Amino acid sequence: MAQENLAETAVNKIEKIFGEHPGYRRAHSRGIGYEAEFTANGEGKNWTVAPYLREGTTKAWVRFSHSAPDPFWTDNLSPVKGMAVQFKLPDGQIMNSVGVTSSIFFARTPEVFTEMLDIAKSFKKGRPRLRDLITLFIKYPESRAAVRIIRKMQGPASFATGLYHSIHAFYLVNGTGKHVPVKFQWQPEAGVESLNPAEAASVQKGDFEKEIEKRVAAGETAFRLIAVIGEEGDPVDDPTKDWAEDREKVEIGRLKLIQRSAEPEDLLFDPTELAEGIECTDDPILHFRNPAYAISYKRRNMEKR
Ligand code: HEM
């Protein structure tokens, strides 16, 4: 099946399983947007020709989100949170950097992802049942690691205390044309902090949005952009595999939240939309996100909330 058709099938399945919610994104439906500013610290000069990662300050939009496709689920039913960043480059181009609070994904290919959605039908409280997990682990052994992480995961205590991973690898390209595989992380300056199960149980719908609004109003809220440098043999096309913990981590710059903005609700954070100096790897899930996000974007734009 062509990837566009498969993406349509996947988005249709998401709607069927999680309900149709006009005007909302088909995944990560509920979120909150910020205007932000990214300042490069100069380290990027060694790795990429992308000007905004080398020096200076660039305007950006940020959208924090709960991963559930249903916007009416309470915040704690989405232990995985998202942080989508769009850099507004001076020449009118944009560049997206999208992360979640899990370091790996549960499906190796778009075909497996689309098939696995059927299992999501039986999710109880946002997590799979044990019986379905066993079936899944036998059929897709590569999915074990991510599903285990998500099953046990406690969400961050705040959108501002999540560690957000790009999951996919990308290439940074320097002036000599050298391609270095990297994975990105957005590291919270407030420190990584998770909810304990008792706290998670008392979280109401919208608490995360209220909390970050108060936090930004009360003081500076920022994230550090980290490039995790891949080594020879590290898989660059498999989002179900993590790289070793001891990989070199290079801090590239700092993203500061400025003020609330409704604009990110209308934006499309396509992770394959990159600027000169950063390139996609051959990860099939990364490339599949391009048509899937476009379909969701088109549908939500034609609807009213
Ligand atoms: C088969 C793979 C995937 C599919 C089909 C998929 C599907 C979607 C869709 C349909 C949307 C809504 C897009 C829109 O309306 O703008 C979305 C949003 C999002 N996805 Fe994925 N996704 C996939 C993998 C991933 C992965 C690996 C990550 C990890 C970084 C991720 C993180 C996010 C985030 C953070 C958002 C919210 C972006 C925003 O705030 O606009 N997704 N996804």
Side-chain angles (χ1 to χ4, degrees), residues 58-71:
T58 305
K59 191 174 162 52
W61 301 110
V62 181
R63 183 174 179 268
F64 296 99
S65 57
H66 308 279
S67 54
D70 183 336

PDB file of all heavy atoms in Angstrom, residues 58-71:
ATOM      1  N   THR A  58      16.821  32.937  17.862  1.00  0.00           N
ATOM      2  CA  THR A  58      15.795  32.680  16.842  1.00  0.00           C
ATOM      3  C   THR A  58      14.440  32.553  17.526  1.00  0.00           C
ATOM      4  O   THR A  58      14.321  31.912  18.565  1.00  0.00           O
ATOM      5  CB  THR A  58      16.124  31.355  16.098  1.00  0.00           C
ATOM      6  OG1 THR A  58      17.446  31.453  15.590  1.00  0.00           O
ATOM      7  CG2 THR A  58      15.157  31.083  14.959  1.00  0.00           C
ATOM      8  N   LYS A  59      13.438  33.117  16.898  1.00  0.00           N
ATOM      9  CA  LYS A  59      12.066  33.035  17.434  1.00  0.00           C
ATOM     10  C   LYS A  59      11.532  31.613  17.226  1.00  0.00           C
ATOM     11  O   LYS A  59      11.860  30.958  16.221  1.00  0.00           O
ATOM     12  CB  LYS A  59      11.222  34.043  16.663  1.00  0.00           C
ATOM     13  CG  LYS A  59       9.862  34.304  17.235  1.00  0.00           C
ATOM     14  CD  LYS A  59       9.220  35.466  16.420  1.00  0.00           C
ATOM     15  CE  LYS A  59       7.720  35.538  16.603  1.00  0.00           C
ATOM     16  NZ  LYS A  59       7.217  35.574  17.945  1.00  0.00           N
ATOM     17  N   ALA A  60      10.716  31.156  18.156  1.00  0.00           N
ATOM     18  CA  ALA A  60      10.170  29.796  18.034  1.00  0.00           C
ATOM     19  C   ALA A  60       8.767  29.731  18.637  1.00  0.00           C
ATOM     20  O   ALA A  60       8.379  30.606  19.418  1.00  0.00           O
ATOM     21  CB  ALA A  60      11.089  28.809  18.752  1.00  0.00           C
ATOM     22  N   TRP A  61       8.010  28.700  18.232  1.00  0.00           N
ATOM     23  CA  TRP A  61       6.730  28.391  18.859  1.00  0.00           C
ATOM     24  C   TRP A  61       6.865  27.039  19.518  1.00  0.00           C
ATOM     25  O   TRP A  61       7.526  26.141  18.979  1.00  0.00           O
ATOM     26  CB  TRP A  61       5.606  28.304  17.828  1.00  0.00           C
ATOM     27  CG  TRP A  61       5.382  29.542  17.028  1.00  0.00           C
ATOM     28  CD1 TRP A  61       5.665  29.710  15.706  1.00  0.00           C
ATOM     29  CD2 TRP A  61       4.824  30.777  17.472  1.00  0.00           C
ATOM     30  NE1 TRP A  61       5.320  30.978  15.306  1.00  0.00           N
ATOM     31  CE2 TRP A  61       4.801  31.649  16.369  1.00  0.00           C
ATOM     32  CE3 TRP A  61       4.352  31.228  18.701  1.00  0.00           C
ATOM     33  CZ2 TRP A  61       4.325  32.954  16.455  1.00  0.00           C
ATOM     34  CZ3 TRP A  61       3.860  32.522  18.788  1.00  0.00           C
ATOM     35  CH2 TRP A  61       3.845  33.367  17.675  1.00  0.00           C
ATOM     36  N   VAL A  62       6.200  26.868  20.649  1.00  0.00           N
ATOM     37  CA  VAL A  62       6.257  25.581  21.356  1.00  0.00           C
ATOM     38  C   VAL A  62       4.830  25.128  21.647  1.00  0.00           C
ATOM     39  O   VAL A  62       3.994  25.948  22.036  1.00  0.00           O
ATOM     40  CB  VAL A  62       6.998  25.721  22.707  1.00  0.00           C
ATOM     41  CG1 VAL A  62       7.079  24.376  23.418  1.00  0.00           C
ATOM     42  CG2 VAL A  62       8.391  26.277  22.499  1.00  0.00           C
ATOM     43  N   ARG A  63       4.574  23.844  21.459  1.00  0.00           N
ATOM     44  CA  ARG A  63       3.280  23.295  21.905  1.00  0.00           C
ATOM     45  C   ARG A  63       3.546  22.068  22.771  1.00  0.00           C
ATOM     46  O   ARG A  63       4.181  21.110  22.331  1.00  0.00           O
ATOM     47  CB  ARG A  63       2.389  22.916  20.716  1.00  0.00           C
ATOM     48  CG  ARG A  63       1.009  22.398  21.143  1.00  0.00           C
ATOM     49  CD  ARG A  63       0.098  22.170  19.947  1.00  0.00           C
ATOM     50  NE  ARG A  63      -1.197  21.658  20.364  1.00  0.00           N
ATOM     51  CZ  ARG A  63      -1.503  20.363  20.463  1.00  0.00           C
ATOM     52  NH1 ARG A  63      -0.605  19.432  20.168  1.00  0.00           N
ATOM     53  NH2 ARG A  63      -2.701  19.974  20.861  1.00  0.00           N
ATOM     54  N   PHE A  64       3.100  22.133  24.035  1.00  0.00           N
ATOM     55  CA  PHE A  64       3.160  20.978  24.930  1.00  0.00           C
ATOM     56  C   PHE A  64       1.839  20.233  24.783  1.00  0.00           C
ATOM     57  O   PHE A  64       0.780  20.873  24.650  1.00  0.00           O
ATOM     58  CB  PHE A  64       3.313  21.412  26.388  1.00  0.00           C
ATOM     59  CG  PHE A  64       4.596  22.134  26.665  1.00  0.00           C
ATOM     60  CD1 PHE A  64       4.644  23.523  26.732  1.00  0.00           C
ATOM     61  CD2 PHE A  64       5.774  21.425  26.858  1.00  0.00           C
ATOM     62  CE1 PHE A  64       5.834  24.188  26.978  1.00  0.00           C
ATOM     63  CE2 PHE A  64       6.975  22.079  27.110  1.00  0.00           C
ATOM     64  CZ  PHE A  64       7.004  23.465  27.171  1.00  0.00           C
ATOM     65  N   SER A  65       1.886  18.896  24.846  1.00  0.00           N
ATOM     66  CA  SER A  65       0.643  18.151  24.627  1.00  0.00           C
ATOM     67  C   SER A  65       0.588  16.875  25.445  1.00  0.00           C
ATOM     68  O   SER A  65       1.613  16.327  25.859  1.00  0.00           O
ATOM     69  CB  SER A  65       0.512  17.811  23.144  1.00  0.00           C
ATOM     70  OG  SER A  65       1.635  17.068  22.707  1.00  0.00           O
ATOM     71  N   HIS A  66      -0.655  16.433  25.657  1.00  0.00           N
ATOM     72  CA  HIS A  66      -0.924  15.099  26.218  1.00  0.00           C
ATOM     73  C   HIS A  66      -1.066  14.185  25.002  1.00  0.00           C
ATOM     74  O   HIS A  66      -1.742  14.552  24.029  1.00  0.00           O
ATOM     75  CB  HIS A  66      -2.226  15.115  27.014  1.00  0.00           C
ATOM     76  CG  HIS A  66      -2.277  16.208  28.032  1.00  0.00           C
ATOM     77  ND1 HIS A  66      -1.667  16.100  29.258  1.00  0.00           N
ATOM     78  CD2 HIS A  66      -2.847  17.453  28.010  1.00  0.00           C
ATOM     79  CE1 HIS A  66      -1.868  17.215  29.953  1.00  0.00           C
ATOM     80  NE2 HIS A  66      -2.579  18.048  29.213  1.00  0.00           N
ATOM     81  N   SER A  67      -0.493  12.986  25.039  1.00  0.00           N
ATOM     82  CA  SER A  67      -0.432  12.183  23.806  1.00  0.00           C
ATOM     83  C   SER A  67      -1.779  11.617  23.344  1.00  0.00           C
ATOM     84  O   SER A  67      -1.929  11.246  22.188  1.00  0.00           O
ATOM     85  CB  SER A  67       0.566  11.036  23.985  1.00  0.00           C
ATOM     86  OG  SER A  67       0.242  10.290  25.139  1.00  0.00           O
ATOM     87  N   ALA A  68      -2.780  11.567  24.231  1.00  0.00           N
ATOM     88  CA  ALA A  68      -4.043  10.923  23.858  1.00  0.00           C
ATOM     89  C   ALA A  68      -4.708  11.582  22.654  1.00  0.00           C
ATOM     90  O   ALA A  68      -4.716  12.808  22.550  1.00  0.00           O
ATOM     91  CB  ALA A  68      -5.000  10.970  25.042  1.00  0.00           C
ATOM     92  N   PRO A  69      -5.287  10.766  21.769  1.00  0.00           N
ATOM     93  CA  PRO A  69      -6.050  11.331  20.645  1.00  0.00           C
ATOM     94  C   PRO A  69      -7.390  11.922  21.097  1.00  0.00           C
ATOM     95  O   PRO A  69      -8.005  12.679  20.380  1.00  0.00           O
ATOM     96  CB  PRO A  69      -6.300  10.120  19.735  1.00  0.00           C
ATOM     97  CG  PRO A  69      -5.365   9.051  20.211  1.00  0.00           C
ATOM     98  CD  PRO A  69      -5.150   9.306  21.671  1.00  0.00           C
ATOM     99  N   ASP A  70      -7.833  11.550  22.320  1.00  0.00           N
ATOM    100  CA  ASP A  70      -9.101  12.053  22.838  1.00  0.00           C
ATOM    101  C   ASP A  70      -8.820  13.234  23.776  1.00  0.00           C
ATOM    102  O   ASP A  70      -8.218  13.064  24.841  1.00  0.00           O
ATOM    103  CB  ASP A  70      -9.817  10.924  23.610  1.00  0.00           C
ATOM    104  CG  ASP A  70     -11.180  11.351  24.122  1.00  0.00           C
ATOM    105  OD1 ASP A  70     -11.398  12.569  24.296  1.00  0.00           O
ATOM    106  OD2 ASP A  70     -12.015  10.470  24.366  1.00  0.00           O
ATOM    107  N   PRO A  71      -9.269  14.450  23.395  1.00  0.00           N
ATOM    108  CA  PRO A  71      -8.932  15.636  24.204  1.00  0.00           C
ATOM    109  C   PRO A  71      -9.634  15.663  25.568  1.00  0.00           C
ATOM    110  O   PRO A  71      -9.291  16.492  26.414  1.00  0.00           O
ATOM    111  CB  PRO A  71      -9.419  16.803  23.328  1.00  0.00           C
ATOM    112  CG  PRO A  71     -10.452  16.219  22.416  1.00  0.00           C
ATOM    113  CD  PRO A  71     -10.061  14.795  22.196  1.00  0.00           C
TER     114      PRO A  71
END
